[in-house]
Amino acid sequence: MKKITAFSFILIAFVFGVIFYQKVELPTVWEGYFTKNYYGQFGPLTMCVELLIAGLYLFKNNNKVNFSLALFGFTVLLDSIFTLFGLFPNVLPFYTKLIFLFCAVWSLWLAFTDTFKLGRITFWSALLSFALGNVVELFFNLW
């Protein structure tokens, strides 16, 4: 079950990562690299990287896996909540948001129940993953 979950996370992250990377538009002028629109394109790609790292940690039985799973889960949930309340624009396609939400709920469940016995997440690690999830969302949506 652990290898199937890890492989699924890696595959989902890789497929959507390639899709989002292909949609990145490079500016034609130097000043374009310092705009909100340019950096905002990398928000979905960052979620893919978080899921990829969590999947790789899970595949290798790394004890950092629960922190990574919680970080991904909180980032996606915060993105959905901020979008739902109209605080930030929706940058993810609907099908991607659904798949990421499913993965996020599954990731948070795995992280907080320590299903694979890789080390229960501590209160401070959970708090840090929540804070970093906020930082990621705010950086790509407010900067």
Side-chain angles (χ1 to χ4, degrees), residues 55-110:
L56 290 172
Y57 278 164
L58 187 59
F59 192 78
K60 293 184 176 193
N61 295 324
N62 193 310
N63 61 354
K64 299 174 187 172
V65 67
N66 288 332
F67 175 80
S68 299
L69 289 169
L71 176 62
F72 169 74
F74 284 133
T75 302
V76 172
L77 286 179
L78 290 168
D79 180 67
S80 299
I81 290 170
F82 291 154
T83 302
L84 182 66
F85 288 123
L87 298 174
F88 302 130
N90 186 14
V91 294
L92 292 174
F94 182 72
Y95 65 92
T96 306
K97 188 171 284 282
L98 284 179
I99 293 171
F100 274 3
L101 276 172
F102 176 77
C103 290
V105 170
W106 182 244
S107 294
L108 288 171
W109 173 262
L110 293 175

Side-chain angles (χ1 to χ4, degrees), residues 108-133:
L108 288 171
W109 173 262
L110 293 175
F112 287 105
T113 61
D114 193 28
T115 305
F116 300 124
K117 308 292 185 239
L118 295 173
R120 186 169 291 279
I121 191 168
T122 65
F123 171 77
W124 295 110
S125 293
L127 187 62
L128 181 62
S129 65
F130 178 75
L132 286 176

